[in-house]
Amino acid sequence: MPKSSDTIAAPATRTTPPRSLWLLGPALVAGVAYLDPGNVASNMTAGATYGYLLVWVVVAGNVMAWLIQYLSAKLGVVTGQSLPQVLGSRIRNRWARRSYWLQAELVAMATDLAEVIGGAVALHLLFDVPLLLGGIITGVVSMVLLAVQSRRGPRPFEFVIIGLMAIITIGFVAGVFVAPPDPAGVVGGLVPRFEDTGSVLLAASILGATIMPHAIYAHSSLTRDRFGATTTHAGDEAVRTETSRIRRLLRATRWDVSIAMIIAGSVNLAILLLAAANLAGVEGTDSLEGAHAALATGLGPVVATFFAVGLLASGLASTSVGAYAGAEIMHGLLHVRIPLLARRLVTLIPALVILGIGVDPTLALVLSQVVLSFGIPFALIPLVILTAQRRTLGIWANRAWTTAAGVIASVLLIALNGALLWLVITGA
């Protein structure tokens, strides 16, 4: 039996975990980050430009994402703290902590940029709303969703986000059933390879959109908010109760993450396959507007409308989760809590400036995902280290093979980013 110092006790308000089905939800909310407009732009561009070449990147990214999101959720379940909170207490040097916060905040802003722009583009496609006004509308709706989270708690917020996820899934997958991809091309795309510098750039963009740093920060916070904080003072009976509770929560979390990643991976793959099968070589498909027009011409207005509706739901849902993550990053690392709605207003500014000065929205989306890709190691490496430490998770610390898998994922992601930087600098 583990000692009380190795196991974190249950909060007094919860002695028996609820039914397993009721435990699902946090991963589905975090999983929306894997279906944001940056994913759409990166996967659409990859499919239209290189056909099935980068199918393997989407699949590999989703496999790595399962492990990463589970580790993040486990940290929140066992410690009752988010990853930013744990790091905020471990990084003692004030300037080191502020520097870490700055890079995390820049990543969160890049995320927000992609999501607001995606929502604006969708409103333009559906209702011919000017991009700047569309960005403002997207921001306002996201504030309404954040108000639900602030005032009603995590469960109603989860229901809203999961509903938007269902719309996203239908919107992006519908076209694949209308015009199925070539099976031989899909199988060939599972072979890891690159073609040129552009394909490496898009691979980094896909990974940045798939394994999103802010989702790593957010998932631990979502599980903390849902299942509550814990205490370290307990007798043997409380320890036994807590051990049973955590075991059940982690089992449900594995199912939660699996469902979320299956949905996110399938949708991301469907977007790439839709573009590879129907947009490869078509003029003007290097932008979301051009892809929408090509889908309308090739597959009909219904499929194109589904695509635009999915893009809108993607922008609205993901920007809300991104703002939630950004607020948690600031609170955990700087011990400063700014109201979610106030922070939402501030983080809207960069996206609105981009839209207002006329920067190509699709280019901004793809480049924002590259920024996210470079932020991955700063979230992933501490996560792997912390979840491998017995002093942090006690008996729930990672097994050796889990830590090894996390290290391999980290090395692969860092190596890809290094290769990207080298190719861009040298112009190879």
Side-chain angles (χ1 to χ4, degrees), residues 98-148:
R98 288 177 177 176
S99 298
Y100 187 93
W101 165 79
L102 180 60
Q103 65 79 27
E105 195 68 38
L106 291 174
V107 165
M109 290 177 66
T111 302
D112 211 39
L113 178 71
E115 292 155 353
V116 173
I117 289 177
V121 170
L123 287 170
H124 177 69
L125 295 176
L126 287 168
F127 308 111
D128 202 27
V129 174
L131 289 175
L132 181 58
L133 177 59
I136 295 172
I137 293 173
T138 301
V140 170
V141 174
S142 71
M143 284 191 280
V144 173
L145 296 180
L146 289 171
V148 172

Side-chain angles (χ1 to χ4, degrees), residues 302-319:
V302 174
V303 171
T305 300
F306 269 106
F307 172 81
V309 170
L311 181 63
L312 177 59
S314 168
L316 295 176
S318 55
T319 193

Side-chain angles (χ1 to χ4, degrees), residues 8 77-78 242-251 396:
I8 297 174
V77 167
V78 177
E242 177 64 0
T243 300
S244 176
R245 185 182 82 96
I246 291 179
R247 182 177 292 110
R248 186 175 181 186
L249 288 176
L250 292 180
R251 184 167 55 247
W396 308 107

Side-chain angles (χ1 to χ4, degrees), residues 30 34 65-79 81-84 213-224 250 253 257 379-380 383-384 387 393 398:
Y34 296 82
W66 186 97
L67 173 64
I68 293 165
Q69 291 307 133
Y70 174 68
L71 293 181
S72 176
K74 183 169 76 167
L75 182 70
V77 167
V78 177
T79 66
Q81 293 182 303
S82 67
L83 177 59
H214 84 280
I216 300 174
Y217 298 121
H219 202 165
S220 56
S221 178
L222 289 164
T223 54
R224 176 208 62 195
L250 292 180
T253 294
V257 174
L380 181 53
L383 177 67
V384 174
T387 54
L393 295 191
N398 296 340

Side-chain angles (χ1 to χ4, degrees), residues 27-31 35 62 165 255-265:
L28 292 170
V29 174
L35 298 173
N62 205 65
M165 177 182 270
W255 279 103
D256 194 23
V257 174
S258 297
I259 293 169
M261 292 301 99
I262 288 172
I263 294 173

Side-chain angles (χ1 to χ4, degrees), residues 147-241:
V148 172
Q149 195 275 340
S150 297
R151 298 180 182 180
R152 300 291 184 178
R155 197 59 178 169
F157 182 64
E158 287 175 9
F159 285 141
V160 173
I161 298 300
I162 291 170
L164 289 171
M165 177 182 270
I167 296 173
I168 295 167
T169 302
I170 295 171
F172 291 142
V173 173
V176 175
F177 289 98
V178 176
D182 174 35
V186 177
V187 173
L190 293 173
V191 179
R193 65 194 191 279
F194 296 110
E195 188 172 292
D196 53 25
T197 304
S199 63
V200 178
L201 174 65
L202 278 172
S205 182
I206 290 171
L207 287 176
T210 303
I211 305 173
M212 302 187 76
H214 84 280
I216 300 174
Y217 298 121
H219 202 165
S220 56
S221 178
L222 289 164
T223 54
R224 176 208 62 195
D225 289 351
R226 172 77 95 80
F227 304 125
T230 57
T231 68
T232 56
H233 304 288
D236 288 344
E237 182 60 33
V239 168
R240 285 192 291 271
T241 300

